[in-house]
Amino acid sequence: MPAGIPEPVTPAERSDPSGMDRFIAGIEWIAAAFVGLVAADIFVSVLLRYFFSVSIPDGYDVGRMLLGILIFWGIAATSYRGAHITVDLVWELAGTTMKRVIDVFATLVLLFVVTVQTIMLFDKVAQTYVQNVLTYDLQWPTWPFFAVAWLGDVSAVILIAVRTFRLVAAPERVNEAHSLEPVE
């Protein structure tokens, strides 16, 4: 190439993820942060109880609600990547077209189930808000914890819808950067 003219960039070399890819990565980072919060809560609680015979006020309630938040954000993080536990004997034996049909059908079923779950969880958030459910020691309202868990579920619905769209319209964009090796 002549001096001053840049080399063409191939799609594989381009590291400019789309807004949706950044959103997906953000969801994964949020889920990872909740893993760290739950681990820190458990570690500090055990440390204080074992060495100082002291417990964190509302440690049990907050830990329980953080674990619930972690579960829903974890569902969001694993739903798009398809990195959760799967049974794929039939899928392995199927041809390319049938594999795609199975993937789309399974993702649509997952989208339906998680959407219903999200609606039910919103009802739980509303009920805890109206009933003014509080933690035992510090009398904190519990509805914000439920609302954060609900946001994780909403994120899961969005990511599953994106995965479904990409499976139909651009299957090469699903899991392009995350090929998983089977554990033997």
Side-chain angles (χ1 to χ4, degrees):
M1 280 285 197
I5 298 177
E7 292 285 329
V9 178
T10 65
E13 295 171 336
R14 191 178 305 135
S15 63
D16 184 27
S18 71
M20 184 52 66
D21 291 331
R22 286 191 300 272
F23 177 73
I24 293 165
I27 297 300
E28 291 172 340
W29 276 104
I30 291 170
F34 282 117
V35 169
L37 273 174
V38 169
D41 176 56
I42 292 168
F43 177 77
V44 170
S45 294
V46 169
L47 196 68
L48 287 175
R49 188 167 298 173
Y50 183 76
F51 289 111
F52 303 106
S53 297
V54 174
S55 64
I56 300 171
D58 281 332
Y60 176 75
D61 285 338
V62 171
R64 182 174 52 94
M65 289 184 284
L66 282 176
L67 189 56
I69 291 169
L70 170 62
I71 289 169
F72 289 108
W73 282 93
I75 289 170
T78 60
S79 293
Y80 178 78
R81 297 286 179 214
H84 49 285
I85 297 171
T86 58
V87 179
D88 58 358
L89 181 63
V90 173
W91 188 86
E92 284 291 331
L93 298 174
T96 306
T97 305
M98 196 60 191
K99 283 181 180 180
R100 192 167 172 196
V101 169
I102 292 169
D103 285 344
V104 171
F105 175 74
T107 307
L108 284 171
V109 170
L110 181 63
L111 179 61
F112 173 74
V113 169
V114 176
T115 301
V116 171
Q117 173 182 296
T118 303
I119 293 166
M120 296 290 102
L121 187 57
F122 180 76
D123 186 47
K124 182 68 173 174
V125 173
Q127 284 179 3
T128 56
Y129 177 78
V130 169
Q131 294 172 355
N132 196 28
V133 178
L134 306 172
T135 60
Y136 185 74
D137 294 328
L138 300 175
Q139 300 295 303
W140 287 349
T142 59
W143 73 266
F145 293 97
F146 286 93
V148 173
W150 177 75
L151 287 174
D153 230 16
V154 169
S155 298
V157 169
I158 293 168
L159 294 184
I160 296 166
V162 168
R163 178 179 172 85
T164 304
F165 175 77
R166 286 184 175 178
L167 280 171
V168 172
E172 69 280 356
R173 293 199 60 200
V174 178
N175 294 339
E176 61 187 4
H178 296 278
S179 63
L180 300 173
E181 295 296 324
V183 178
E184 295 182 18

